[in-house]
Every structure is written in structure tokens, then in C-alpha cells.
Amino acid sequence: MDRFLNWIETKWMPPFAKLSELRHLRAIRDGIIATLPLIIIGSLFLIIASPPVPSLEAMVKPYAENILIPYRLTLGLMALYASFSMGYSLARSYNLDGITGGLLSAATFIMATLPVNLDHLLPENEALGWLLPVSKMGGSGLFMSIIAMFIAVETMHWLKKSGFSIKMPESVPSSVSRSFEALIPAACIILLMWIIRVWLEIDLHNVLLKLFSPLVHFAGNTFLGAVIPVVFIMLLWCAGIHGVAVVGTVLHPIWFALLDENAAAAAAGQPLPNMIVEPFYQWFVWIGGSGTTLSLCVLLLFSKSSYLRQVGRFSIVPGLFNINEPVIFGVPIVMNPLLVIPAILAPLACTVTTYLAFSLDWIQRISILAPWTLPAPFGAYVATGGDWRAILLVFVNILLSGLIYYPFFKAYEKKMLTEEHATT
């Protein structure tokens, strides 16, 4: 292990550390980290609205929509907030005005989404006006917010270098001067987005999803059917796109149909025909959330880096309930070359062990859809109809993913310690 750690630190870490310090990647990382307070608070409300105990869930259900309002306006708008903070960070790296960079990035992101008017669906005397679809402003819209940052700030930077800006006398207050300097970039950016979105009718959100969405035609009980969705989901997550939201759109109907077949077979007292159903991933692969991040949360708790240790403290409780936005955006894993590899390898390894366990009939196949906020061992036990061996497999997968994360975590920890010591 020491030799492997040394190889990671001497051969792997230097080039990837340099890559992670590139201007744009750093802006993405810093911008996403800035949204952490909203992500953490939103995650807590999500746990309250979806308790893992059925009796509590039934008690909360009448109030769930109201409880979820803070979640929908924090985590549900994460890409919008991130567009501002990433734009701010990138603009500052160019010695441009950060507030202007953030505002123009947010405006670019919003311009990528056309508002809709639903007044014709309402009673005659009621009107809501123009509405923006919130569904495109959460995790699934994060990559669009990154594109918005590039468009807005690079346009600002190019115009500034080219001399196309309005310069005010020094006697003018700085706040007024900044506003006039932003006029030409704002006009160019908004006109560009209007042409793309309105005149050419190009839905950038759908274009991005089609570019990054895998053409997944694998499902069922094959080994490739188990592994390939995991690869695509994690590649998308590491690029800042909600992988489950993209790939799941295609495969969830198939997975749930196969689960229904298992439930019908169980009710008839017959062998369960299918292995690869949605809870296969929920309880045995996405332990703590996409990327099998519960083991990483545990490692963070004992980190020598004060920042990583704090991330572990506020990530462990949501992680126990399979909510991993705090850790995936807090460490971060998104756009982090040092942690992309284990974030892909850990769930892949868990997929292999789980597939082998089910294919060799070491564990009862899944026939029950348990509440997704149950901690993984309990959820696995319920989903398999009370098979205690499912709990054992969950702990094996947690240990396995921890071993995969460990050397990369230590390398990243060393980098963070160097940065922390440099600032003290």
C-alpha cells in the first residue's frame, strides 16, 4: 500500500494537480463550493420530507410539499446559484469585475431557458404570468451553467482586451462605472442567447443532454447491462451533470418493469427472474449516493485537512440517507481530476460484486421497492425480502469502495494540506 501511495503522489498527483489548478476548472470548483450552504440546508429538508420509517413517512406526507419548498428553492436551483458564483470566480481570475461576471453568467444561464405562460390553463380571473421551469435549474442544469460561465466571462474578457468597453471618468463612482462597462458585454451576450434560443429555436439544455446522454440499450440480467449504465452515470456526474437524471430517464421504466415482474413472481411463489432492477443500484451500488460516496464521507471525518474534515462532518448524515450532494460538490468530486477515477471505479467494483452475488444466488433477488432514504443496510434487507446476507454485502461494498477511495483521498488530502499551510 505504501508503494502504491507513493506512486499516486509522485506519478499521478503532479500532472492532475496542475490540471485541477487550470483557471476554468478552479472557477468551477470554487463556484460550486460557494453553493454548499444552500445544498446542505436543502438536503436536510429533503430528509425531513422523506423519512425512512414508514410510519413517519405517512405522518409527514400531508405536509411534504410545504416542507420541500426550501429544498426546491435551494438544491432545486443549484445550477442558477452556481452560474453566478462560477462566473464571479472566473471573472476575478481575469482581474475583471466579479459581480458583473456573476450577473452575466446567471443571465446567460436564464436566457438558455424559455419562460412559459400557463394562464390559458387557469380560471378566467387568475393569472400567473410568465414562468421559468425550475426542473432545468437544479443538478441536471449544472453543465449548462458551466457553459453559461464560459460564454459570459470569456465574452467579457475578449471585449476588454479588444478595447470594446465604455470607460467612464475617474470621478464617476465605481458602482456606476462598472454598470456602464458591462453594457456592451451584456448586449452581446443577451443578443447571442436570444438568437440561439428564440430565433434559431435551439434548446441548449436538450442539446447538452443529447450530447452527453449515452445511447444506452442495455438492461436486464447481463453483466454489461449492469456495468455500462454505471460508467455513463458517473462520467456524467464527474462532468457536473446529474447522471442518474439523464440515464435514468431511459432506463428507469425498464428497471421498474423488471421489478414488477419480480414482485409478481414473488406473489405467485415462483423464482424471481430478474437481477438488474432499480434497487440493485440504490442499495448495493449507490451506497450514500452516486459514486458510492458513504465510504468517502467516513474517510473525510478522519482527514488531517481541516477543510476536508468539515466536509465529512456535514456530509455524513445526509450520506447515511443516500443524499450525497454535500460531499460530491463539497470535496468536490465534480471536475476534480484527482477524485474522478475512484468515483468511477468504486461503484463499478460494487456493481461487479453485487452482480456476482445475485448471479450465484448467494442473495435473494429483489422484489420490494423500499423507501430510498433508508440507510443502505436496512434498505437492502427490506428490498430482498429480509435476507440478512444483503446486509453483509452492503458492508463488503462499503469496505471495498473505501479501499478504492483511500489512496486517491490521501493524495488529495496532501494537496489540500499544502494549500492550507500556504495560507496560514
Side-chain angles (χ1 to χ4, degrees):
M1 177 61 79
D2 289 339
R3 184 176 297 177
F4 183 61
L5 283 173
N6 184 61
W7 180 83
I8 289 287
E9 291 180 4
T10 57
K11 301 297 184 182
W12 181 281
M13 186 175 170
F16 279 89
K18 290 180 180 178
L19 182 63
S20 67
E21 292 303 314
L22 291 177
R23 185 192 306 271
H24 296 87
L25 288 181
R26 191 176 184 90
I28 293 168
R29 184 189 67 191
D30 294 346
I32 291 174
I33 288 175
T35 66
L36 271 182
L38 300 176
I39 291 173
I40 294 166
I41 299 302
S43 298
L44 293 177
F45 277 92
L46 182 58
I47 294 173
I48 295 170
S50 305
V53 181
S55 59
L56 288 177
E57 185 180 20
M59 185 173 65
V60 169
K61 189 174 182 179
Y63 314 102
E65 284 302 317
N66 287 332
I67 295 172
L68 283 172
I69 288 175
Y71 160 76
R72 299 191 192 285
L73 297 180
T74 52
L75 201 54
L77 296 176
M78 184 188 68
L80 176 59
Y81 300 127
S83 65
F84 177 89
S85 54
M86 289 188 295
Y88 179 94
S89 179
L90 183 59
R92 293 287 292 171
S93 74
Y94 281 126
N95 292 321
L96 300 172
D97 181 60
I99 294 177
T100 301
L103 285 173
L104 292 182
S105 296
T108 305
F109 176 70
I110 292 172
M111 284 288 294
T113 307
L114 285 183
V116 295
N117 193 322
L118 302 179
D119 288 349
H120 63 285
L121 301 177
L122 299 173
E124 187 174 346
N125 295 326
E126 295 184 22
L128 292 174
W130 291 90
L131 309 173
L132 284 172
V134 175
S135 61
K136 295 182 178 180
M137 296 188 175
S140 60
L142 186 59
F143 199 78
M144 183 62 236
S145 71
I146 295 172
I147 299 298
M149 172 201 71
F150 274 88
I151 293 173
V153 179
E154 291 301 332
T155 300
M156 280 181 63
H157 184 228
W158 181 80
L159 290 172
K160 183 81 172 180
K161 285 176 60 179
S162 303
F164 293 107
S165 61
I166 300 174
K167 295 182 180 179
M168 303 297 290
E170 293 183 3
S171 58
V172 176
S174 60
S175 58
V176 177
S177 179
R178 283 199 307 266
S179 299
F180 277 93
E181 287 178 3
L183 277 176
I184 293 178
C188 293
I189 291 164
I190 291 174
L191 179 61
L192 173 65
M193 295 304 295
W194 178 79
I195 291 172
I196 293 173
R197 193 65 188 89
V198 179
W199 190 23
L200 299 179
E201 297 183 350
I202 299 174
D203 189 334
L204 293 176
H205 289 278
N206 289 339
V207 169
L208 288 172
L209 288 179
K210 288 178 181 178
L211 285 175
F212 286 91
S213 296
L215 299 176
V216 182
H217 298 290
F218 299 92
N221 297 320
T222 66
F223 179 71
L224 288 179
V227 168
I228 288 179
V230 173
V231 174
F232 281 124
I233 285 171
M234 289 316 303
L235 285 174
L236 290 169
W237 261 118
C238 293
I241 303 173
H242 196 300
V244 176
V246 174
V247 178
T249 302
V250 179
L251 290 182
H252 270 139
I254 301 172
W255 287 334
F256 282 119
L258 297 175
L259 179 62
D260 286 341
E261 290 180 9
N262 280 8
Q270 300 192 359
L272 306 186
N274 303 306
M275 286 186 295
I276 313 303
V277 294
E278 195 278 337
F280 174 98
Y281 299 100
Q282 175 65 59
W283 303 122
F284 299 100
V285 178
W286 309 135
I287 304 171
S290 298
T292 321
T293 49
L294 184 59
S295 57
L296 179 59
C297 290
V298 174
L299 291 174
L300 292 172
L301 288 174
F302 302 97
S303 176
K304 296 175 183 178
S305 163
S306 58
Y307 173 75
L308 293 180
R309 194 163 57 250
Q310 288 296 329
V311 173
R313 288 171 181 171
F314 64 63
S315 299
I316 188 66
V317 173
L320 288 171
F321 297 98
N322 306 306
I323 297 171
N324 74 334
E325 280 84 356
V327 67
I328 208 165
F329 296 114
V331 171
I333 293 174
V334 171
M335 295 292 182
N336 186 339
L338 290 174
L339 290 177
V340 163
I341 298 300
I344 296 172
L345 290 180
L348 272 179
C350 294
T351 303
V352 172
T353 58
T354 306
Y355 181 84
L356 289 174
F358 279 115
S359 62
L360 296 173
D361 292 324
W362 289 348
I363 297 175
Q364 174 67 28
R365 294 187 181 184
I366 297 166
S367 61
I368 298 171
L369 187 64
W372 68 272
T373 48
L374 275 174
F378 302 109
Y381 179 79
V382 172
T384 55
D387 190 336
W388 65 268
R389 294 169 296 182
I391 296 176
L392 181 61
L393 178 58
V394 168
F395 283 111
V396 168
N397 284 351
I398 291 173
L399 178 61
L400 177 62
S401 60
L403 291 173
I404 292 171
Y405 270 110
Y406 182 75
F408 298 93
F409 158 74
K410 294 300 291 183
Y412 186 58
E413 179 187 59
K414 185 175 181 179
K415 174 179 177 293
M416 294 299 293
L417 284 171
T418 302
E419 292 182 3
E420 289 173 10
H421 292 155
T423 58
T424 56

